Amino acid sequence: MYQCELFSVQKNTADAQALNASRQDISSVLSTDGIELKNVTEIAADPRKIESAVNKMLSDGDRDMFIFANALDATDSSSFRKLFYRLIGSIESSIQVDEDHKDLKPKLKVQSLGDLGNEYKGYCFSVGGKRFIVLPYASLTGKSISELIRGGVRTADDKIRSSSERYPEGIAYLTAAGIEADASLNRESVTDKMAPKQKQGFFKSFIPLKTDSKKQKTRKIIVLVAMVAFVVALVYVLEFYIFGPMRNNAVTSEIQTIAYSKDDESGEDDGPTQDWDALKEINDEIVGWITIPDTVIDYPVLYHEGDDRYNQYYIKRTYKKESSEYGSIFIDYRSTDGAASRNVIMHGHDMNDGSMFAGMLKYSPKGDLKGDLEYYQDHPIIEFNTPDGDAKYKIISVFKTSTRYEHGEFFNYMQGEFNSDAEFMNFVYNCRVRSFFDIPVTCNEDDPIITLSTCCYEFYQWRMVIVARKVRPGEDESVDVGLADYNSSPLFPDVYYSRYGGTRPKPETFKSASEKGQVDWYDGKGNLEGSEDLTATLAANPTEPPTEKPKKGAKATEPPAIVYFPVTYRNYDGSQYAAYNVREGDSVPTPDGTPTMPSDEYYDYVFDGWDKDVDGVDFDHLNIGIDIYPKFTPVLKPEYQ
């Protein structure tokens, strides 16, 4: 005998009152068909409340028939879909599939009960031996509520029995393309898979036990691994976003306090800005102090004489020589005279919290290949002080470039020393033709320069670079920034033009550009002797291993020659479908399976392939990282055709 719960949907007051008055008749009618009416529950016409009430009763497990009376008020299926889509979706999602069904989707077989009176239909479905019957308003059908329930129950019994051969559990399994699988796969029992799990303690829920089945042990192991991964990820996130920045801020504040706390007994403030005696007591390798006024860039600069390509001591160390992902601002080993080099190259990390050299990217934000002229005009000066004296530097170039030869014609801006004045001026010229801005600051062979470098991400292994030359003795420290303007055609590596189009300007040298009247910023003596060849750029590829054997235990701080790009396939909602690391130059793989997009009220959606129509991306010879999305074709549902 079926144990029945009758839901009186409280949408039409008159029909609800009629049902309440007929409870005894309804009970008698149901009992003649072997159905025991256990209870009548009044419920609002709300899909969420219907879903919640039924799921609670399914958890209790003592009902195997659910009748919804006075629920539908339309001759088509619209009111049924509106009220019961959540319940049906909830039941379908609660069914766990085994290995044979892992690529299939369970779908309830909802059947129409046909015309129950005046063309108003009812609907039924079953799952795991439990039956669900949904009926229209009795008043709309012209029948009494007890007569309508009797007819609906008997018709539902006929429908479910006739389909039981193909759908014994009331479930059809569909492929990702929405095609029904072989009928033999519909015979899997789902009763146990829908049954609620008894509450267990943590130990029994997650620790594999001898009494567990193989499947249970596997599940628990997977859950434990996931929990450990979550804890590790949480620790990493806390460290990366909270504790790491807090420690770095504390370390930075400490050194700034020391640097700016001079004890000037004379009361005059005309000496060096920083207290070099105090700084040198902390670390003798503090050789400078870099500041961009009105920004967060205000840090000590370190120089370690033992650095080489394989060992850059302060890349992951603070000025206290303590390990830190933030590292320090440090001078590149190619500036062989440290802070006294002709070109003092300084590196700093681009940190997510905006510290270290992340402030450089305000001159040209991430993803931008034009530059922010207004920001430059507000910040045209850099201060670089050393124990030999305070100094200001006027910015002469702001650009982004590659560190890789395979991105096209290569310019190695990390050149600290030069063989001749001609080579130095050619280096300055190459910096300026790449600049986002035409800057009204002169330069000549007698000007020391500094170069600030940090990571940027428009292409793989690109860098953001700012070059500035020292303010000369007696020179006005100000810059007429109103004369600055955007460079109409800054020079980029070839990879830029491959992605964005346009024609790459033909690079000149300083001498040839001067002869053509293209240099209006040079104010030197002229007739520069020596070769213009930039020896650093002509040297071996800096991304290839050096010929000499590295020191024992050394770790390369420059990128390897082999490059991999991230390729992520996305679902319709942006979640990850599949992910690959594809070696540069290799073709992009296509994942197995077919992504799906849920139907809406009017349309089903059919997968129409992956969208690989992306400008500047060669999917047969990958040259950048990429996200790939599916394409879907909407197909109008049959009832609306």
Side-chain angles (χ1 to χ4, degrees):
M1 176 173 281
Y2 285 103
Q3 306 295 307
C4 175
E5 184 76 19
L6 175 61
F7 287 96
S8 174
V9 181
Q10 302 292 293
K11 190 172 184 181
N12 182 298
T13 304
D15 284 85
Q17 290 174 346
L19 184 149
N20 192 52
S22 304
R23 291 178 64 164
Q24 188 59 46
D25 290 342
I26 295 169
S27 179
S28 299
V29 164
L30 290 175
S31 66
T32 60
D33 290 322
I35 301 169
E36 180 183 358
L37 179 61
K38 299 295 292 184
N39 189 46
V40 177
T41 298
E42 295 179 350
I43 193 167
D46 184 326
R48 289 178 175 80
K49 292 183 178 179
I50 290 173
E51 175 195 17
S52 176
V54 173
N55 281 335
K56 184 177 185 304
M57 291 184 182
L58 287 174
S59 297
D60 295 339
D62 60 350
R63 299 287 191 274
D64 37 32
M65 179 177 286
F66 303 88
I67 301 175
F68 297 85
N70 299 325
L72 310 177
D73 59 0
T75 56
D76 59 15
S77 63
S78 59
S79 59
F80 172 76
R81 287 185 285 110
K82 181 179 179 181
L83 279 180
F84 290 90
Y85 78 97
R86 289 185 64 93
L87 173 61
I88 291 173
S90 174
I91 293 174
E92 289 174 346
S93 64
S94 71
I95 298 172
Q96 303 174 35
V97 295
D98 60 16
E99 188 67 23
D100 293 334
H101 297 72
K102 65 179 182 179
D103 295 324
L104 302 175
K105 181 179 180 181
K107 193 76 175 175
L108 286 176
K109 292 301 294 183
V110 179
Q111 301 182 76
S112 171
L113 300 179
D115 186 359
L116 296 178
N118 295 331
E119 298 185 353
Y120 286 91
K121 302 178 182 64
Y123 297 88
C124 70
F125 57 91
S126 68
V127 58
K130 300 181 184 296
R131 295 187 175 187
F132 299 80
I133 302 168
V134 184
L135 303 173
Y137 294 179
S139 61
L140 295 175
T141 66
K143 298 179 180 179
S144 68
I145 187 64
S146 56
E147 182 183 7
L148 179 61
I149 290 175
R150 171 185 282 178
V153 168
R154 291 181 176 180
T155 304
D157 186 64
D158 291 340
K159 293 281 187 179
I160 293 170
R161 287 180 186 276
S162 64
S163 65
S164 62
E165 177 61 30
R166 184 171 181 84
Y167 309 106
E169 296 292 332
I171 295 290
Y173 285 91
L174 307 182
T175 66
I179 301 172
E180 194 169 312
D182 187 88
S184 62
L185 293 171
N186 297 335
R187 299 183 178 279
E188 183 197 24
S189 174
V190 300
T191 304
D192 292 340
K193 296 184 177 186
M194 289 179 57
K197 307 256 185 322
Q198 296 297 320
K199 292 185 178 180
Q200 305 179 60
F202 176 85
F203 188 83
K204 289 185 178 180
S205 296
F206 300 108
I207 305 301
L209 306 173
K210 289 183 178 181
T211 56
D212 288 340
S213 66
K214 184 177 180 181
K215 185 180 291 187
Q216 287 174 318
K217 290 178 180 177
T218 302
R219 178 189 63 80
K220 289 182 177 181
I221 290 172
I222 292 173
V223 171
L224 283 173
V225 171
M227 291 173 66
V228 171
F230 172 78
V231 171
V232 171
L234 179 61
V235 171
Y236 173 80
V237 169
L238 291 174
E239 171 64 23
F240 192 79
Y241 289 102
I242 298 177
F243 301 127
M246 287 174 61
R247 284 197 301 272
N248 185 66
N249 288 339
V251 169
T252 300
S253 296
E254 181 181 353
I255 195 68
Q256 289 173 342
T257 300
I258 294 170
Y260 292 110
S261 297
K262 292 187 301 177
D263 182 15
D264 191 345
E265 296 180 357
S266 66
E268 299 180 359
D269 192 20
D270 57 357
T273 302
Q274 283 75 33
D275 186 342
W276 290 106
D277 291 337
L279 292 174
K280 289 292 186 179
E281 284 183 11
I282 295 171
N283 187 340
D284 191 52
E285 292 184 326
I286 298 176
V287 297
W289 194 278
I290 187 76
T291 305
I292 300 182
D294 301 321
T295 75
V296 298
I297 296 178
D298 188 26
Y299 298 107
V301 178
L302 286 296
Y303 179 62
H304 185 71
E305 291 189 359
D307 278 359
D308 56 27
R309 180 179 168 191
Y310 277 85
N311 292 278
Q312 299 191 74
Y313 188 83
Y314 288 102
I315 194 170
K316 295 284 184 171
R317 288 184 175 90
T318 70
Y319 62 86
K320 292 182 175 182
K321 302 183 180 181
E322 297 170 344
S323 176
S324 170
E325 289 297 312
Y326 286 75
S328 297
I329 308 303
F330 66 94
I331 296 177
D332 189 276
Y333 65 91
R334 282 159 284 209
S335 295
T336 54
D337 288 333
S341 299
R342 194 166 189 180
N343 178 19
V344 182
I345 307 162
M346 288 173 264
H347 299 287
H349 291 302
D350 162 35
M351 302 307 295
N352 284 338
D353 65 354
S355 64
M356 309 313 289
F357 267 0
M360 286 177 57
L361 293 172
K362 291 188 177 181
Y363 288 89
S364 178
K366 292 180 181 180
D368 175 78
L369 286 168
K370 184 179 179 183
D372 187 336
L373 179 61
E374 184 176 345
Y375 189 84
Y376 157 73
Q377 290 172 327
D378 290 336
H379 305 85
I381 300 294
I382 299 174
E383 297 176 4
F384 179 52
N385 302 335
T386 70
D388 293 330
D390 293 355
K392 289 182 171 61
Y393 288 72
K394 297 182 178 182
I395 293 175
I396 59 174
S397 179
V398 177
F399 64 95
K400 291 179 178 178
T401 193
S402 176
T403 61
R404 304 193 65 81
Y405 273 79
E406 57 267 36
H407 283 173
E409 189 169 354
F410 180 73
F411 169 55
N412 190 352
Y413 67 89
M414 288 184 283
Q415 181 170 350
E417 306 299 338
F418 304 88
N419 295 319
S420 67
D421 288 345
E423 182 181 8
F424 175 77
M425 288 312 305
N426 195 27
F427 176 86
V428 172
Y429 169 80
N430 270 273
C431 291
R432 296 190 75 133
V433 296
R434 287 166 168 79
S435 178
F436 294 124
F437 317 123
D438 286 328
I439 296 175
V441 175
T442 59
C443 189
N444 63 49
E445 60 274 13
D446 295 325
D447 291 321
I449 61 174
I450 58 174
T451 298
L452 280 56
S453 173
T454 194
C455 295
C456 62
Y457 308 94
E458 290 72 22
F459 294 88
Y460 179 73
Q461 291 292 346
W462 270 41
R463 297 291 186 268
M464 171 76 182
V465 184
I466 298 176
V467 182
R469 64 94 166 154
K470 191 174 183 178
V471 173
R472 302 162 186 166
E475 181 186 11
D476 187 348
E477 296 178 352
S478 64
V479 177
D480 189 355
V481 294
L483 298 176
D485 202 355
Y486 283 106
N487 184 349
S488 60
S489 56
L491 183 61
F492 290 107
D494 292 333
V495 68
Y496 167 88
Y497 303 96
S498 297
R499 179 185 292 184
Y500 298 108
T503 302
R504 187 175 189 266
K506 183 179 179 180
E508 301 276 355
T509 68
F510 172 71
K511 287 183 178 179
S512 62
S514 296
E515 291 170 357
K516 294 178 181 180
Q518 298 174 358
V519 177
D520 59 2
W521 44 263
Y522 177 66
D523 61 354
K525 61 188 178 183
N527 299 318
L528 303 176
E529 297 182 357
S531 171
E532 283 191 298
D533 291 343
L534 300 174
T535 52
T537 297
L538 296 175
N541 187 339
T543 63
E544 297 292 338
T547 54
E548 68 272 20
K549 186 177 180 180
K551 300 174 184 177
K552 185 177 180 181
K555 180 180 179 181
T557 57
E558 296 189 14
I562 299 175
V563 181
Y564 289 87
F565 293 114
V567 174
T568 305
Y569 285 85
R570 302 287 183 184
N571 288 306
Y572 77 96
D573 59 356
S575 59
Q576 181 176 298
Y577 181 85
Y580 305 92
N581 279 322
V582 182
R583 182 169 174 164
E584 186 174 20
D586 287 355
S587 61
V588 177
T590 300
D592 295 331
T594 304
T596 59
M597 182 174 178
S599 302
D600 57 28
E601 184 174 356
Y602 300 103
Y603 292 97
D604 295 318
Y605 294 91
V606 179
F607 176 62
D608 196 25
W610 294 100
D611 186 4
K612 295 187 178 180
D613 185 16
V614 182
D615 290 341
V617 180
D618 183 350
F619 286 87
D620 294 324
H621 303 87
L622 192 67
N623 58 350
I624 62 172
I626 190 70
D627 282 2
I628 305 172
Y629 289 83
K631 296 183 291 186
F632 291 95
T633 300
V635 178
L636 196 63
K637 291 184 176 180
E639 58 263 36
Y640 296 108
Q641 293 179 357

